[in-house]
Amino acid sequence: MQKHMRRVHRRESLAAYLMLLPDVLGLIVFVVLPILFAIYVSLNSWSGLDQMKFIGLENYITLWSDSKFKHTIWVTLQYVIIYVPLALVAPLLIAVLIQAIPGKKQQVFRSLFYLPYTISTVVASMVWIFMFQVRRGYLNQIISALGLEKQAFLSSPQQALICVAIVGVWMVSGYNMVIYLSALKEIPLTYYEAAQLDGAGVLAQFFHITLPGLKDAAIYIAVFTTTTAFQVFDQIKVMTGGGPGNATNVTAYYIYQQAFDSYKLGYASALAVVLALILIILTVLQMKMSGILKNEN
């Protein structure tokens, strides 16, 4: 009997390993090996067209004195400061409002707000370029109709990064809204009923019941939006090209310029490795501040 159970256990274990094998192979081929190759390339001087020349840590030493790289880090941080709070708060308000809508109407509004997340970043950026046009853009037409002065938007060094961040928030809000809605459904209705019996108003219920119940969802969204903000590229490439005057030249776009405009793949790989390290450190700090790592330990 024991031998039979052992055989069954071995077969089940083998079946489980075989099912996991495609994912593990995919992870190794498409994640682990490219990371290791990028680290190796960062230790070389390579244009992508000639033979690699090993130079050790020279690329890493160079980037510490690269003023343009430091500028892109500062621009990226500005983008994060604008984008992350908006991507946290806006979907939360949308989710709370949609949750209050009864019946099938809720599904309609939920689908409408989720729709931008399904659109290609390039397509969405092209649409918003037209919206932000100085002369014929819809936004400036509305501003003019209100009797206000037209805005430069993407042509302004002060406004361009904000415009790109708004487009990013518009696209990701639908996804974050779904996360919040899922968390809202997990909050027991009895909490709200008890609060109403105690005389608590809508705001009191929101701050003392809804927000604490959304803590885990908010932590996930904060980590997700921060990592995506540091890697923003498509919108910058399509909408501004890093301009005007390098006002939107974020780190990911600078890495692209070094790799495919200047043909410095070794240096670009070193920049990418440093950016990855920054993201890992920030993610760990966010998780520690939120108490996730402490709870696991």
Side-chain angles (χ1 to χ4, degrees), residues 76-77 80 225-232 251-252 275 278-279 282:
T76 305
L77 286 173
V80 171
T225 53
T226 301
T227 53
T228 53
F230 268 92
Q231 299 175 75
V232 62
T251 306
L275 179 61
I278 292 172
L279 284 173
L282 283 173

Side-chain angles (χ1 to χ4, degrees), residues 212-225:
L214 296 176
K215 179 185 174 183
D216 291 340
I219 291 169
Y220 167 77
I221 291 171
V223 174
F224 171 73
T225 53

Side-chain angles (χ1 to χ4, degrees), residues 37-49:
F37 183 68
I39 294 171
Y40 172 72
V41 173
S42 71
L43 302 174
N44 291 267
S45 175
W46 186 40
S47 67
L49 302 173

Side-chain angles (χ1 to χ4, degrees), residues 58-75 246 249-251 253-259 262 264 266-272 274:
E58 188 175 322
N59 285 324
Y60 292 94
I61 295 169
T62 302
L63 67 85
W64 290 117
S65 59
D66 187 346
S67 58
K68 289 183 179 179
F69 172 63
K70 293 175 182 177
H71 173 74
T72 64
I73 291 290
W74 171 237
V75 173
N246 284 326
N249 195 0
V250 294
T251 306
Y253 187 70
Y254 183 63
I255 293 171
Y256 167 83
Q257 288 177 317
Q258 292 299 308
S262 301
K264 297 179 180 178
Y267 186 57
S269 297
L271 294 171
V274 171

Side-chain angles (χ1 to χ4, degrees), residues 14 54 66 93 106 125 131 146 150 158 169 185 223 273:
L14 180 61
F54 183 78
D66 187 346
L93 298 177
Q106 183 182 125
S125 299
M131 297 280 286
L146 294 173
K150 288 185 177 182
Q158 290 76 34
V169 172
K185 293 183 186 300
V223 174
V273 170

Side-chain angles (χ1 to χ4, degrees), residues 9-38:
H9 180 70
R10 285 198 201 105
R11 288 174 185 171
E12 290 177 349
S13 299
L14 180 61
Y17 285 127
L18 288 173
M19 284 189 239
L20 288 172
L21 186 60
D23 287 336
V24 173
L25 288 174
L27 186 68
I28 292 171
V29 173
F30 296 107
V31 178
V32 177
L33 290 179
I35 289 173
L36 294 175
F37 183 68

